Amino acid sequence: MTTVGVPAGWPATEEEARAEQDRLRGRVVLDEPGPPPGTGHVTGVDVAYDDERDLVAAAAVVLDAATLAVVAETTAVGRISFPYVPGLLAFREIPTVRAALDALPCQPGLVVCDGYGLAHPRRFGLASHLGVLTGLPAIGVAKNPFTFTYDEPDPARGSTAPLLAGTEEVGRALRTRDGVKPVFVSVGHRVSLANALAHVLALTPRYRLPETTRRADALCRRALREAAGS
């Protein structure tokens, strides 16, 4: 487990954080298809918080994209680096998530975030922010639609419906299990939306949520319990 401090110069106010989002948003790459599903590595990242102890734990779990077997996993724990502000959650998570990714013994390949990419009020959610900072292809897979609207996809697995901000499509609602509530997929960096959807279907052979998210969620919660008990 890696212990992480708040990086020097990290935004401390909402104004500074929004200015940093504005500065980095123009570096998002939207014209690359991304790695083909079922090839190489795919890495899930997730975080868990203990606000009373001012702790955040991050996990990165690398899977073989073809078999979904675990290749490597790492965790990092640090102090919460930013207050809770909707739309600015990446500033609470990125220092520990990056530390977990940096500690991996292999290349992460595609990074799957438990959250948003372009489906964000400022079109720069965690998947976009993390992708720009690391240069890695990244997508966001969220459990709810945040502030956006959508029509229910058809009930069959693989059905989609646009996730909309007014008339702008910012992602897709994707049915990963027949008749089960969809997940909400958005592009982060260096991946097309069609490819992001294909990756999520490949990562959901049995459950609603991707295996990347399920495994990273369990690992970061365990790391937080260990850190809080130490």
Side-chain angles (χ1 to χ4, degrees), residues 12 40 47 93:
V47 299
E93 303 181 357

Side-chain angles (χ1 to χ4, degrees), residues 46 59 61 212-225:
D46 201 2
V61 180
T212 42
T213 299
R214 286 166 37 79
R215 293 172 185 266
D217 174 76
L219 184 58
C220 69
R221 290 177 187 275
R222 187 173 77 219
L224 185 64
R225 288 194 301 269

Side-chain angles (χ1 to χ4, degrees), residues 57-71:
V61 180
V62 184
L63 304 184
D64 180 293
T67 66
L68 303 187
V70 174
V71 175

Side-chain angles (χ1 to χ4, degrees), residues 28-30 116-118 127-129 131-132 138-140 186-191:
V28 173
V29 174
L30 299 176
Y116 307 93
L118 293 184
S128 299
H129 200 150
V132 166
I139 63 174
S186 57
V187 169
H189 183 62
R190 298 183 58 204
V191 185

